Amino acid sequence: MTKILSVEDLHVRFKTYGGEVQAVRGVTFDLYKGETLAIVGESGCGKSVTSQSIMRLIPTPPGRIHQGKIFFNNKDLTRVSEKEMRAIRGVDISMIFQDPMTALNPTLTIGSQMIEGICHHKNISKQAAREKSLQMLKLVGIPNPEIRMKQYPHEFSGGMRQRIVIAMALVCEPHILIADEPTTALDVTIQAQILDLFKEIQSRTNVSIILITHDLGVVASVADRVVVMYGGKIVEEGTCRDIFYHPQHPYTKGLLYSVPRLDSIGEELTPIPGTPPDLFSPPIGCAFAARCPHSMIVCEKIQPLKTTINEQHYVDCWLMDKRAKG
Ligand SMILES: Nc1ncnc2c1ncn2[C@@H]1O[C@H](COP(=O)(O)OP(=O)(O)O)[C@@H](O)[C@H]1O
Ligand code: SF4
Ligand SMILES: [Mg+2]
């Protein structure tokens, strides 16, 4: 497997009137070519801030990358110039968001905004950009693309708008596509269609996808690997199979029990009791200790370290760590 992106010990903070929020607190992960990596966790755990850091879209001020490196193409994205970053955004790394309307200009036709988007990044003729746009709209399953290109965003349904946004994100053939809650605003049937679309696009283009979601149910059908975030940190990382069938972290187990599963129809869902940690003054020890049914004295005093379960499966929990015993 070829590594395409490496996030190393990323820390992101925001200055607010109430103090400094430690939104991301030492996140490390790799992304490989052609894979779908899901980042999951409850709202506020730092998923969006992590992805905005990769795109260098953290609003500064109030935010800043306090520490860490993000390697792409042998460059540390936390250090490249804004000009270089502009050349990377949308071309090498593209991003799509939950609400497709935020990415679309309501006053322009789909065709003109797609063509404009391509010509902005690539030195090609309008005709070539038009051809490329048509090709992409076909790829994402927009029927009658020649006619649809002349229409405005409001003339499309929510699901179709998200397909258009995906087409726009892919039009420059990026190596990485970051999708931040891309299906959260859509109803369940459309959600499934969009997730299928990601898989199909990936099999055709070999793009690497970072799929961000608070919904573990979304992950099962599309992700190859999963990282689970809690309180600004990664608490578990593994293949989809590891996370769904052999979860090790009490938080991951809690998340699994709080989503409906096809094979457990009729079983009661149990939400995780309690609330996430205060990121203005994060706990000294394990961030999950206050909600964890297995919490030990060591958990409140010292942060758990990464323990290897197998070469792709890691967990940060004292329960799995031989160093906590003896
Ligand atoms: N612009 C901002 N100003 C202040 N705090 C922010 C800002 N953006 C995010 N945060 C804080 O960073 C933390 C992580 O947020 P986020 O990454 O958006 O969470 P998620 O995407 O996992 O729901 C939250 O506590 C949030 O309040
Ligand atoms: S380190 Fe301790 S508190 Fe944290 S998840 Fe593991 S057992 Fe629970
Ligand atoms: Mg978010």
Side-chain angles (χ1 to χ4, degrees):
M1 283 196 296
T2 318
K3 211 184 277 182
I4 185 162
L5 180 87
S6 287
V7 176
E8 292 178 8
D9 197 27
L10 179 70
H11 292 250
V12 185
R13 297 183 176 177
F14 291 89
K15 277 212 166 71
T16 71
Y17 288 115
E20 201 171 33
V21 187
Q22 298 184 31
V24 171
R25 305 186 297 135
V27 159
T28 298
F29 66 86
D30 294 323
L31 176 71
Y32 295 93
K33 198 156 180 46
E35 76 164 344
T36 298
L37 175 73
I39 303 182
V40 293
E42 284 165 302
S43 173
C45 70
K47 305 180 297 294
S48 295
V49 170
T50 300
S51 59
Q52 286 160 9
S53 305
I54 297 169
M55 294 293 272
R56 268 253 303 268
L57 289 174
I58 297 286
T60 310
R64 74 190 161 106
I65 294 180
H66 173 72
Q67 193 181 313
K69 297 186 169 87
I70 299 170
F71 284 107
F72 172 73
N73 263 348
N74 298 320
K75 281 182 199 147
D76 179 359
L77 300 186
T78 66
R79 291 177 179 270
V80 300
S81 67
E82 187 46 39
K83 191 173 167 221
E84 266 183 283
M85 204 59 225
R86 269 201 300 272
I88 290 171
R89 262 185 232 125
V91 179
D92 292 309
I93 311 179
S94 263
M95 189 156 175
I96 56 174
F97 301 92
Q98 178 174 334
D99 180 4
M101 271 324 247
T102 56
L104 296 171
N105 184 338
T107 65
L108 292 176
T109 63
I110 297 303
S112 51
Q113 44 197 310
M114 284 188 87
I115 293 165
E116 201 172 275
I118 305 173
C119 294
H120 179 71
H121 290 298
K122 298 218 161 172
N123 192 14
I124 58 172
S125 71
K126 262 202 160 158
Q127 186 51 34
R130 204 184 115 79
E131 287 301 319
K132 189 86 202 148
S133 304
L134 272 174
Q135 196 186 327
M136 281 298 145
L137 288 173
K138 275 184 201 150
L139 176 71
V140 301
I142 301 280
N144 308 318
E146 286 90 351
I147 298 167
R148 296 300 246 167
M149 271 179 82
K150 297 189 191 111
Q151 295 180 324
Y152 292 86
H154 73 264
E155 297 178 71
F156 293 82
S157 67
M160 283 293 161
R161 279 201 283 258
Q162 194 59 302
R163 283 176 192 264
I164 291 164
V165 171
I166 295 170
M168 286 170 84
L170 291 171
V171 86
C172 292
E173 295 166 356
H175 300 288
I176 301 174
L177 176 68
I178 303 175
D180 191 352
E181 308 268 6
T183 62
T184 305
L186 305 172
D187 75 48
V188 179
T189 326
I190 311 290
Q191 242 187 45
Q193 289 171 7
I194 298 287
L195 294 173
D196 284 347
L197 176 62
F198 279 124
K199 281 277 101 175
E200 196 187 323
I201 286 167
Q202 195 163 50
S203 70
R204 292 206 197 179
T205 63
N206 209 26
V207 64
S208 306
I209 299 178
I210 298 180
L211 175 69
I212 293 175
T213 175
H214 68 280
D215 180 357
L216 210 47
V218 159
V219 167
S221 60
V222 281
D224 298 299
R225 290 190 309 124
V226 181
V227 299
V228 181
M229 282 189 74
Y230 186 77
K233 286 173 169 289
I234 291 177
V235 296
E236 186 160 5
E237 170 185 344
T239 61
C240 212
R241 174 165 275 276
D242 287 333
I243 297 298
F244 278 88
Y245 294 104
H246 308 286
Q248 300 294 319
H249 199 282
Y251 177 64
T252 312
K253 291 180 187 174
L255 274 185
L256 283 168
Y257 290 132
S258 62
V259 288
R261 290 171 67 129
L262 286 176
D263 56 356
S264 63
I265 291 166
E267 271 177 38
E268 230 173 89
L269 299 176
T270 342
I272 307 170
T275 47
D278 174 10
L279 294 176
F280 285 102
S281 54
I284 304 161
C286 171
F288 192 55
R291 299 169 81 181
C292 180
H294 309 288
S295 180
M296 304 171 282
I297 293 168
V298 64
C299 303
E300 289 182 12
K301 299 206 163 139
I302 310 170
Q303 274 182 24
L305 303 170
K306 194 167 173 171
T307 300
T308 305
I309 308 295
N310 66 44
E311 74 266 20
Q312 286 194 292
H313 191 183
Y314 305 95
V315 64
D316 290 30
C317 171
W318 284 121
L319 280 180
M320 308 304 143
D321 194 327
K322 292 189 186 78
R323 289 163 288 198
K325 297 165 192 146

